[in-house]
Amino acid sequence: MKVSYNWIKQFIPVNLEVEKAAEILTSTGLEVEGIEPFESIKGGLKGIVVGHVLTCEQHTNADKLKVTTVDLGEGEPVQIVCGAPNVAVGQKVPVATIGTILYDDKGEEFKIKKGKIRGEESFGMICAEDELGLGKSHDGIMILDESLKPGTPASEVFAVENDYMIEIGLTPNRADAMGHFGVARDLKAALLQQFQQDLDIKDPTKESLTIDNQNNIVEVVVEDFELCPRYTGVTIEGLEVKESPEWLQNRLKTIGLSPINNVVDATNYILHDLGQPLHAFDLDQVKGNKIVVRKGLGGEKFTTLDEVERTLHEDDLMICNESDPMCIAGTFGGLESGVSDVTTNIFLEAAYFNPVSVRKTAKRHAINTDSSFRFERGVDPNMTLVALKKTANLIKELAGGQISSEIIDLYPNPIPDFEVSLKFKTVDKLLGEKIPHETILRILKSLDITVKSEIEGGVVLNVPAYRVDVQREADIVEEILRIYGYNEIAIPTKLNTSIVFSEKFDPNQVQEKIANHLASIGFNEMMANSLGKASYNDLSSTINNDYTVNILNPLSQDLGAMRQSLLWGGLEAVAYNINRKNTDLKLFEFGKTYHKFESGLQEFRCLSLLMTGKRLPENWIYNEATSDFYYAKGVVENVLAKLKLKKLNYSPVKNDVFSEGVQIKVFKKPVVEIGLVKKALLKQFDIDQSVVYVNFNWDNVLALTETQRTQFHDIPKFPSSRKDLALLVDDTVQFSDLYNTAFQTERGLLKNVNLFDVYEGKNLPEGKKSYALSFELRDDNKTLNDKQIDKVMTKLISTFEKQLGAELRS
């Protein structure tokens, strides 16, 4: 939200530097995200002075140029070559001196320099109004008042307003600060508490309105007071729609709005002034002089001010005339009923609409306006009539006309203030510091929160209806703290904590253990949004779109669905880093995926790893080993080993995500998938280097980990024996097949099996590969002899030959 510092000063006479005011606003929770200077005339007319034309002669080398001498008030008169047809002796004119920066109609700057024009020196420029940003005319130079003294700065002749635009990152709960008055109210409260400056704030509620006649009585019917609790209006006749005065245009331009005309600008001004949206209807388009506030008719067509035809929903609240809709309530006006250059009579509306209804309508039609922004969050229902009166008076001032009806105010069920009890000991407990009771009450009073009654150890407070975010005791304490000052709470010198031991299985401890392990081997933790593009699910047939949890009111298409996989957010992060020359990545993320089944909604916990580029930073010692599939497999096996998960069962994975991949099961439960992401999929994210993706089914991992117990064994007293075998096997045989077969064959003496070499290619039959395996044998009760060892190896070779078709290589 953008506010003007000069506008804030209209409510409170603050004289702080804008940076200090911004610092105070941030401390109150209205975080200032930026400050930009504003000049009503770009450049502020710096370097422009009043000049007196002393002589004016025809240029000897150009028919359309004249050579003048101009008195600039100081020093000798200067020579200026001028091409304007209306320049003449005796005139007072605006002169851009050497070094002055001017701006063209596109906002591009150019600097005035000493130069020669057709052989004659020129020491400045006599300006037309468009060259100064004072108008659009370029017919000739500006002729100023003869009484002006040469050398007078042009900024003193023309009203140049200097202001600051303050951009506030307004949080959704601060509906009370959606106008300059609300921001000024917070600033006043903070100044009173932090600097003891008790500034008077201009009270807008004292606005009055004089009724001139009863020529245009409009009947108003509200069919649903739940959706429109309050509706006010008044008619104004005989006004003239024209350009707004400069002061109003400057106010709107400062906060980034483009002036339209005096009537529309007046409604926009009060919207940003008090935070109350208003709408002006062309009274001649109000058929039957009747306003009806009703729900839309399903399928009804309506064209809004942006010339887009929209299909109305049956739950859309509409402002209609006797027969036709004229405005989507609280959201967007209609094209046909809006104020135009020929409008002479208007019906001015100010209302309070149900926030939920406006929010749903705005999302349904993908409309985001200044009005919907405020109505969605909840405006002040007690400011509605005040805003109507102030706007009507402003329109009379700007456009003339007369108030031609009594004020209509339909408010059958006034919205009550909130009642909240506050115990002073709660304030002390939550803040960690004892604040004097008189300070607490002074802060609350400055925020329009008054004491209704006293109770033992506290008070009962009356909270204004516009403070929709303050309805609990904790909310009151937060209000006290933000005005008292977060920085005023002393940091404790002592920290107390309790060390608690529990034998209960703790999933968070397991997650923390693995996160620390991954970080220790060079991985960085990432956290992607749980919301993503629904279209991502179309990239893989393994993801069923029927299971997608779609968001009913998405903020954008990029956040339209709950994720079914951590892969998409991971690839977005990889692409983001690669585009910024960070090409060596090892990332991990703990997160949930979300699915919609016939039985209901379900979440699954996952751990994902993404690896791409080099394993280690560039170094003269290490080679440029990449984070490939086998490196990822080693990382996964180490993670599972840390969790005491053994007897891993490998099987190939074939899907449209991996070009090559394997699945690991433990006790027949799938725990992880490892694979190279397909190039076609990477191309969708503009990634042109290989990426390894690992996806842990963390729910299964935790379930298996919970059953594991750490076991301790004595160091073996007797030595182990190692035997190596070179086996020729079919290329479909995996190491896991040999590993599992070996332990099924020999359970007693066999302690470990390791694969230390794989060979495929020359000198091997087609469809074959060679595995070199080592076998560790040990008897925990005695030393093995050659006979026992040979017996085990013979049995293993025989089993490999029979079950896996292996051949022993010499």
Side-chain angles (χ1 to χ4, degrees):
M1 185 183 78
K2 296 177 181 179
V3 297
S4 153
Y5 193 34
N6 286 351
W7 200 333
I8 290 173
K9 291 178 181 179
Q10 290 182 191
F11 285 104
I12 55 173
V14 61
N15 57 2
L16 296 172
E17 293 293 329
V18 65
E19 291 80 9
K20 184 61 180 177
E23 180 185 327
I24 295 171
L25 287 173
T26 298
S27 73
T28 67
L30 300 179
E31 183 179 359
V32 174
E33 297 178 339
I35 301 172
E36 291 183 10
F38 170 81
E39 295 170 324
S40 58
I41 300 172
K42 193 168 184 178
L45 298 181
K46 294 182 181 70
I48 313 295
V49 299
V50 174
H52 182 202
V53 181
L54 302 177
T55 66
C56 181
E57 304 290 340
Q58 182 66 45
H59 195 295
T60 56
N61 298 320
D63 293 339
K64 294 184 179 181
L65 297 178
K66 293 179 182 177
V67 180
T68 67
T69 55
V70 183
D71 178 11
L72 299 181
E74 292 183 0
E76 294 295 322
V78 298
Q79 178 172 293
I80 298 176
V81 177
C82 180
N86 63 330
V87 64
V89 173
Q91 293 173 337
K92 298 292 177 64
V93 293
V95 177
T97 56
I98 301 298
T100 299
I101 294 176
L102 297 178
Y103 299 87
D104 61 21
D105 56 356
K106 296 180 181 178
E108 300 292 331
E109 64 178 43
F110 61 93
K111 192 173 185 178
I112 302 299
K113 299 177 182 178
K114 172 186 173 182
K116 280 189 176 183
I117 302 176
R118 295 288 185 93
E120 294 287 352
E121 288 188 321
S122 184
F123 297 88
M125 174 177 168
I126 304 175
C127 302
E129 67 175 36
D130 65 330
E131 293 165 333
L132 298 178
L134 294 170
K136 297 180 181 180
S137 173
H138 194 71
D139 294 336
I141 60 170
M142 293 187 72
I143 311 300
L144 305 180
D145 193 315
E146 292 182 359
S147 64
L148 293 173
K149 292 182 179 180
T152 303
S155 58
E156 296 179 9
V157 178
F158 303 99
V160 178
E161 182 174 357
N162 296 304
D163 196 356
Y164 290 96
M165 183 280 291
I166 302 173
E167 186 159 8
I168 296 174
L170 193 68
T171 51
N173 63 310
R174 292 302 307 276
D176 62 297
M178 293 187 297
H180 285 74
F181 175 61
V183 175
R185 182 168 46 207
D186 261 19
L187 185 58
K188 176 189 183 301
L191 288 173
L192 175 60
Q193 172 57 34
Q194 298 177 26
F195 300 95
Q196 284 71 55
Q197 291 187 29
D198 191 5
L199 303 178
D200 291 330
I201 188 166
K202 185 178 179 181
D203 185 3
T205 62
K206 295 180 180 179
E207 194 79 29
S208 61
L209 183 66
T210 301
I211 309 302
D212 297 310
N213 59 60
Q214 301 282 338
N215 294 340
N216 291 291
I217 306 245
V218 173
E219 179 188 359
V220 177
V221 176
V222 177
E223 294 184 356
D224 192 333
F225 279 107
E226 184 176 344
L227 298 184
C228 178
R230 188 173 194 180
Y231 192 92
T232 68
V234 72
T235 62
I236 306 175
E237 68 173 1
L239 52 79
E240 181 186 0
V241 176
K242 57 185 178 181
E243 191 176 78
S244 295
E246 192 172 349
W247 71 265
L248 178 53
Q249 292 192 41
N250 288 340
R251 287 285 176 268
L252 298 179
K253 288 177 182 177
T254 303
I255 59 175
L257 297 182
S258 299
I260 298 173
N261 58 55
N262 51 359
V263 175
V264 175
D265 292 350
T267 60
N268 283 335
Y269 177 82
I270 300 302
L271 178 147
H272 290 276
D273 187 63
L274 302 178
Q276 169 66 52
L278 301 103
H279 190 71
F281 298 95
D282 188 327
L283 187 58
D284 295 334
Q285 302 301 319
V286 181
K287 296 178 182 178
N289 265 30
K290 185 175 183 180
I291 296 287
V292 180
V293 184
R294 62 165 173 83
K295 284 186 177 181
L297 304 177
E300 189 175 12
K301 302 296 182 181
F302 179 67
T303 303
T304 46
L305 283 169
D306 57 357
E307 300 184 4
V308 174
E309 185 179 73
R310 305 177 189 275
T311 302
L312 299 180
H313 188 273
E314 59 184 8
D315 290 331
D316 292 339
L317 188 66
M318 303 298 298
I319 311 299
C320 308
N321 57 33
E322 190 177 48
S323 58
D324 304 312
M326 299 189 298
C327 176
I328 303 177
T331 307
F332 216 176
L335 182 63
E336 295 182 0
S337 62
V339 173
S340 67
D341 293 342
V342 297
T343 299
T344 56
N345 306 309
I346 65 168
F347 176 79
L348 183 64
E349 161 201 284
Y352 177 88
F353 298 114
N354 182 286
V356 175
S357 173
V358 175
R359 187 182 308 121
K360 287 182 177 180
T361 296
K363 297 298 180 185
R364 191 180 294 125
H365 295 287
I367 295 173
N368 183 22
T369 61
D370 284 337
S371 291
S372 65
F373 175 83
R374 286 160 175 78
F375 279 125
E376 287 176 18
R377 287 156 176 78
V379 299
D380 182 359
N382 297 317
M383 191 62 75
T384 305
L385 187 58
V386 175
L388 182 78
K389 292 177 180 179
K390 189 170 184 179
T391 308
N393 283 330
L394 182 58
I395 290 175
K396 280 187 67 176
E397 176 188 332
L398 302 177
Q402 293 183 318
I403 306 300
S404 55
S405 75
E406 292 289 345
I407 293 175
I408 299 162
D409 185 9
L410 303 181
Y411 195 24
N413 303 303
I415 297 173
D417 291 342
F418 306 111
E419 186 178 294
V420 182
S421 297
L422 176 70
K423 294 280 189 178
F424 292 124
K425 65 179 182 180
T426 304
V427 180
D428 300 339
K429 179 181 177 181
L430 292 181
L431 300 189
E433 187 171 309
K434 191 175 182 64
I435 297 178
H437 296 174
E438 57 271 20
T439 301
I440 291 174
L441 296 177
R442 184 178 68 245
I443 290 173
L444 293 176
K445 183 180 178 181
S446 69
L447 296 173
D448 293 343
I449 300 174
T450 57
V451 176
K452 186 175 183 180
S453 61
E454 295 184 0
I455 56 176
E456 185 178 356
V459 289
V460 177
L461 299 170
N462 198 68
V463 181
Y466 65 81
R467 289 309 308 267
V468 292
D469 60 323
V470 182
Q471 300 185 32
R472 306 170 302 164
E473 188 177 34
D475 298 331
I476 295 290
V477 178
E478 183 182 4
E479 290 298 294
I480 295 167
L481 177 58
R482 70 182 185 85
I483 300 300
Y484 183 75
Y486 291 92
N487 295 334
E488 298 301 315
I489 303 297
I491 299 174
T493 58
K494 182 173 66 173
L495 180 65
N496 298 322
T497 185
S498 299
I499 299 175
V500 179
F501 172 75
S502 173
E503 293 186 354
K504 185 179 179 181
F505 178 74
D506 187 352
N508 293 324
Q509 284 187 353
V510 177
Q511 179 172 320
E512 190 70 17
K513 176 181 179 180
I514 298 305
N516 288 335
H517 166 68
L518 291 170
S520 72
I521 60 174
F523 279 77
N524 289 299
E525 185 169 11
M526 61 166 283
M527 184 180 293
N529 201 322
S530 297
L531 299 174
K533 297 179 181 178
S535 59
Y536 279 157
N537 296 333
D538 298 328
L539 299 178
S540 171
S541 61
T542 58
I543 296 177
N544 192 332
N545 264 320
D546 293 337
Y547 300 157
T548 302
V549 181
N550 291 305
I551 304 301
L552 295 178
N553 57 338
L555 295 174
S556 68
Q557 290 184 351
D558 290 346
L559 301 172
M562 304 293 285
R563 64 185 176 192
Q564 285 196 60
S565 170
L566 270 58
L567 175 60
W568 314 130
L571 290 179
E572 284 182 343
V574 169
Y576 183 89
N577 278 272
I578 290 175
N579 289 338
R580 285 154 183 80
K581 308 302 181 184
N582 186 17
T583 57
D584 304 324
L585 301 168
K586 293 192 290 186
L587 306 173
F588 74 94
E589 178 183 11
F590 286 96
K592 292 181 178 180
T593 59
Y594 306 86
H595 310 264
K596 179 178 65 177
F597 301 116
E598 289 185 3
S599 57
L601 301 177
Q602 196 166 351
E603 301 176 0
F604 297 107
R605 287 176 287 192
C606 300
L607 163 62
S608 71
L609 311 180
L610 288 120
M611 289 154 271
T612 186
K614 298 174 185 176
R615 296 184 198 174
L616 298 169
E618 188 175 8
N619 191 291
W620 66 275
I621 296 177
Y622 302 107
N623 59 21
E624 295 187 354
T626 58
S627 297
D628 56 14
F629 173 84
Y630 296 102
Y631 173 69
K633 179 173 172 287
V635 171
V636 169
E637 289 173 345
N638 281 335
V639 168
L640 297 177
K642 275 195 165 292
L643 299 175
K644 308 295 188 298
L645 299 182
K646 302 177 181 178
K647 298 183 180 180
L648 311 181
N649 194 321
Y650 293 80
S651 60
V653 170
K654 293 184 178 180
N655 57 36
D656 56 1
V657 171
F658 295 142
S659 57
E660 297 177 46
V662 297
Q663 182 186 66
I664 300 177
K665 292 183 179 180
V666 177
F667 299 126
K668 298 183 179 181
K669 278 191 174 184
V671 293
V672 63
E673 289 183 349
I674 315 167
L676 283 169
V677 181
K678 283 189 173 182
K679 289 184 179 180
L681 192 56
L682 295 177
K683 189 176 181 181
Q684 298 292 326
F685 292 84
D686 294 326
I687 299 172
D688 58 3
Q689 62 187 60
S690 63
V691 176
V692 183
Y693 175 61
V694 177
N695 183 45
F696 284 87
N697 184 325
W698 198 246
D699 288 312
N700 284 349
V701 170
L702 291 175
L704 290 164
T705 303
E706 188 173 6
T707 63
Q708 302 303 307
R709 294 293 180 267
T710 302
Q711 296 181 345
F712 298 92
H713 302 278
D714 291 336
I715 296 175
K717 296 179 180 180
F718 301 95
S720 300
S721 178
R722 168 175 168 159
K723 287 292 182 179
D724 295 345
L725 289 179
L727 298 175
L728 188 66
V729 297
D730 293 337
D731 58 9
T732 57
V733 175
Q734 302 292 323
F735 167 65
S736 59
D737 300 325
L738 294 163
Y739 182 93
N740 294 331
T741 301
F743 278 102
Q744 291 169 5
T745 303
E746 176 55 52
R747 299 177 184 274
L749 300 181
L750 185 61
K751 302 303 180 184
N752 191 30
V753 181
N754 182 50
L755 174 66
F756 63 87
D757 188 35
V758 178
Y759 177 73
E760 294 179 90
K762 190 176 179 181
N763 299 326
L764 290 182
E766 187 176 350
K768 297 287 185 178
K769 60 185 175 183
S770 175
Y771 276 161
L773 306 173
S774 67
F775 299 84
E776 181 185 357
L777 303 173
R778 188 180 68 248
D779 190 332
D780 293 333
N781 298 312
K782 61 183 178 181
T783 302
L784 290 171
N785 56 43
D786 291 342
K787 185 177 180 180
Q788 291 172 306
I789 294 171
D790 291 342
K791 182 180 178 181
V792 172
M793 295 308 297
T794 301
K795 185 167 58 170
L796 287 172
I797 293 169
S798 175
T799 304
F800 290 152
E801 290 174 345
K802 292 177 182 178
Q803 294 188 13
L804 300 174
E807 300 177 32
L808 190 63
R809 296 186 68 198
S810 57

